[in-house]
Amino acid sequence: MNFRDLQKQYEVLKPEVDKAINDVLTSARFISGPQVKVLEEKLAEYVGVKHCITCANGTDAITLALMAWNVGEGDAVFVPDFTFFSSGECPAFSGATPIFVDVNERTFNIDADKLEQAIEKVLQEGVLKPKAVIAVDLFGLPADYEKIGHICAKYNLYLMEDGAQGFGGSINGKMACSFGDISTTSFFPAKPLGCYGDGGAVFTDNDEWAELIRSFAVHGKNGSDKYDNCRIGMNSRLDTIQAAVLIPKLQAFADYELVNVNKAAQLYSKKLADSGLVLPYVPNGYVSSWAQYTVQLPDNTDRDKLIVYLKENGVPSMVYYARPMHKQGAFENTRSAVAECGITERLCGTVLSLPMHPYLESEDIEKVCNCILEFLNNE
Ligand SMILES: *Cc1c(COP(=O)(O)O)cnc(C)c1O
């Protein structure tokens, strides 16, 4: 059993994917081939936003958005404490100061009330200027954009949606990657929609930011001329082979993969209903894209021992994430290390992510659940 079965997915999609790659090889248009624009149009339509700009990875996508907003030294950017490193790395890389905010223990996403407290605290300190919020759709579940949006409006902050794990999720039919003033995603192979290498995208309805991001992503080019450089940018393009691979993968994602991961999640939650574990929670009207199916173990459970037990029985599992952002060594002795994030600290010790992907068989899910139940009963 694989944690995320990319081999199985390739087996199923092989004819379309092989043809897509071969077409690029034949045309030899490896950078900025026509498939890139086709994909951008399909992604923008799927998400329901005006502009999609693809780029080299999900980390660059966040950095490009921060560049468009001119975020830098002296700015505070509010980021959940429980997330992948990029969400806080990018604002720090831009020269700004990430301020880490605790998360909701049911949704794993940024806690809107604590966000407001953190903003007030930064204002009181009077050193940094609150500039933006990066909300993360952790494990595939969109953050609480209604509340977060109100807070951003109240304090005049930009809202970014880091949808690296959220692509395909939705709230009342509105798709993830459409909730931020600018939203970003990643096509890292193991993400809900992955390519066969690194890839990412930025989404926005704002014409001016879209144009800026297109420029920043290609050496600060002036319009369509990459040898006329009017600003300092980076080299962050999605290459044509990755775009070509993503076109049939997006189709499969929209046709059945998203449905299948939701079925898998339902089966997990049914089998584990009486296990004593805290199961993932999806609020009313929300749809998750199940980047991860993450349970919380009772405080007294020996997680390492459970991981070994599962492994011995052929069941892979992962800990996302073992360390709060504010405790990462990179932020030691900075303002970013100052955070009150008790929920995140507890989650880091109790979470466990189980195998999850669109090709997971119900027998596999039963096996995972039975192993967990056996372990808990014998503890
Ligand atoms: C994976 C991930 C990223 C970074 O994406 P890459 O394509 O790996 O650069 C950013 N934020 C979150 C929440 C992620 O999970």
Side-chain angles (χ1 to χ4, degrees), residues 56-60 62 83-87 136-138 162-165 184-188 191 198-200 321:
N57 55 68
T59 306
D60 281 4
I62 300 170
T83 182
F84 180 66
F85 193 58
S86 293
S87 317
V136 178
D137 302 337
L138 205 75
D162 175 356
Q165 301 181 16
T184 63
T185 199
S186 162
F187 304 123
F188 181 84
K191 305 283 169 157
D198 277 313
Y321 295 91

Side-chain angles (χ1 to χ4, degrees), residues 305-323:
K305 212 169 139 193
L306 172 57
I307 291 170
V308 170
Y309 182 78
L310 289 172
K311 196 175 169 197
E312 283 168 359
N313 285 280
V315 175
S317 62
M318 304 287 275
V319 175
Y320 298 120
Y321 295 91
R323 189 188 291 260

Side-chain angles (χ1 to χ4, degrees), residues 12-41:
V12 173
L13 300 178
K14 187 171 171 17
E16 296 106 290
V17 167
D18 285 1
K19 178 172 186 315
I21 293 175
N22 266 305
D23 288 348
V24 181
L25 298 181
T26 311
S27 75
R29 295 191 57 188
F30 297 112
I31 299 291
S32 306
Q35 291 89 336
V36 177
K37 186 152 184 278
V38 170
L39 175 70
E40 287 180 344
E41 282 167 4

Side-chain angles (χ1 to χ4, degrees), residues 6 25 35 94 106 149 154 193-194 197 263 310 312 317 330-331:
L6 298 175
L25 298 181
Q35 291 89 336
S94 304
R106 300 286 313 277
K154 179 172 171 188
L193 176 63
K263 282 188 189 152
L310 289 172
E312 283 168 359
S317 62
F331 298 117

Side-chain angles (χ1 to χ4, degrees), residues 85-154:
F85 193 58
S86 293
S87 317
E89 179 185 30
C90 299
F93 188 76
S94 304
T97 303
I99 302 291
F100 296 111
V101 179
D102 211 358
V103 297
N104 178 290
E105 63 187 328
R106 300 286 313 277
T107 64
F108 303 118
N109 284 329
I110 195 165
D111 181 314
D113 296 327
K114 290 177 182 166
L115 169 62
E116 184 156 13
Q117 289 162 17
I119 296 167
E120 286 289 348
K121 190 167 174 218
V122 166
L123 287 170
Q124 269 163 25
E125 289 168 1
V127 178
L128 298 166
K129 181 180 183 295
K131 187 83 176 253
V133 173
I134 300 180
V136 178
D137 302 337
L138 205 75
F139 305 150
L141 182 71
D144 184 353
Y145 288 103
E146 196 183 330
K147 276 195 188 159
I148 298 165
H150 282 136
I151 294 170
C152 287
K154 179 172 171 188

Side-chain angles (χ1 to χ4, degrees), residues 52 54 68 95 107-108 121 123 196 214 219 222 224-225 270 282 303 318 336 378:
C52 168
T54 54
T107 64
F108 303 118
K121 190 167 174 218
L123 287 170
Y196 288 164
R214 282 201 185 282
H219 307 289
N222 193 0
S224 58
D225 186 351
K270 194 173 141 207
V282 179
R303 183 171 62 184
M318 304 287 275
S336 302
N378 294 332

Side-chain angles (χ1 to χ4, degrees), residues 26 81 229 343:
T26 311
D81 199 38
N229 309 91
I343 305 280

Side-chain angles (χ1 to χ4, degrees), residues 72-372:
E73 206 177 327
D75 293 331
V77 178
F78 299 87
V79 178
D81 199 38
F82 194 52
T83 182
F84 180 66
F85 193 58
S86 293
S87 317
E89 179 185 30
C90 299
F93 188 76
S94 304
T97 303
I99 302 291
F100 296 111
V101 179
D102 211 358
V103 297
N104 178 290
E105 63 187 328
R106 300 286 313 277
T107 64
F108 303 118
N109 284 329
I110 195 165
D111 181 314
D113 296 327
K114 290 177 182 166
L115 169 62
E116 184 156 13
Q117 289 162 17
I119 296 167
E120 286 289 348
K121 190 167 174 218
V122 166
L123 287 170
Q124 269 163 25
E125 289 168 1
V127 178
L128 298 166
K129 181 180 183 295
K131 187 83 176 253
V133 173
I134 300 180
V136 178
D137 302 337
L138 205 75
F139 305 150
L141 182 71
D144 184 353
Y145 288 103
E146 196 183 330
K147 276 195 188 159
I148 298 165
H150 282 136
I151 294 170
C152 287
K154 179 172 171 188
Y155 293 93
N156 198 21
L157 306 177
Y158 294 125
L159 172 56
M160 193 189 310
E161 175 184 6
D162 175 356
Q165 301 181 16
F167 189 87
S170 57
I171 307 176
N172 298 322
K174 187 169 158 50
M175 297 305 288
C177 297
S178 73
F179 294 112
D181 298 314
I182 301 180
S183 303
T184 63
T185 199
S186 162
F187 304 123
F188 181 84
K191 305 283 169 157
L193 176 63
C195 60
Y196 288 164
D198 277 313
V202 184
F203 299 88
T204 185
D205 282 324
N206 184 299
D207 299 339
E208 190 188 327
W209 294 336
E211 202 180 312
L212 270 173
I213 290 165
R214 282 201 185 282
S215 168
F216 281 128
V218 186
H219 307 289
K221 67 176 179 167
N222 193 0
S224 58
D225 186 351
K226 75 170 169 172
Y227 300 107
D228 176 6
N229 309 91
C230 56
R231 50 184 69 86
I232 300 299
M234 45 209 269
N235 175 12
S236 186
R237 288 173 293 227
L238 182 73
D239 66 69
T240 315
I241 288 182
Q242 299 308 335
V245 165
L246 280 165
I247 292 170
K249 294 239 300 177
L250 173 61
Q251 190 71 46
F253 182 83
D255 283 349
Y256 59 87
E257 287 189 350
L258 184 60
V259 172
N260 285 357
V261 283
N262 273 280
K263 282 188 189 152
Q266 265 178 19
L267 187 55
Y268 266 128
S269 294
K270 194 173 141 207
K271 297 269 165 207
L272 295 173
D274 302 320
S275 61
L277 302 176
V278 179
L279 303 180
Y281 167 69
V282 179
N284 252 336
Y286 283 60
V287 172
S288 175
S289 58
W290 298 106
Q292 305 295 342
Y293 185 91
T294 303
V295 299
Q296 298 173 50
L297 307 178
D299 285 320
N300 57 349
T301 304
D302 186 337
R303 183 171 62 184
D304 293 337
K305 212 169 139 193
L306 172 57
I307 291 170
V308 170
Y309 182 78
L310 289 172
K311 196 175 169 197
E312 283 168 359
N313 285 280
V315 175
S317 62
M318 304 287 275
V319 175
Y320 298 120
Y321 295 91
R323 189 188 291 260
M325 289 291 282
H326 78 277
K327 292 210 163 148
Q328 290 285 2
F331 298 117
E332 210 176 306
N333 299 321
T334 71
R335 172 62 180 83
S336 302
V338 181
E340 278 167 51
C341 297
I343 305 280
T344 298
E345 280 170 33
R346 186 168 58 72
L347 289 174
C348 286
T350 58
V351 287
L352 188 65
S353 299
L354 307 179
M356 179 50 117
H357 59 82
Y359 304 90
L360 199 60
E361 307 280 346
S362 40
E363 299 84 70
D364 291 332
I365 296 172
E366 268 170 44
K367 180 175 173 183
V368 176
C369 297
N370 288 340
C371 281
I372 293 174

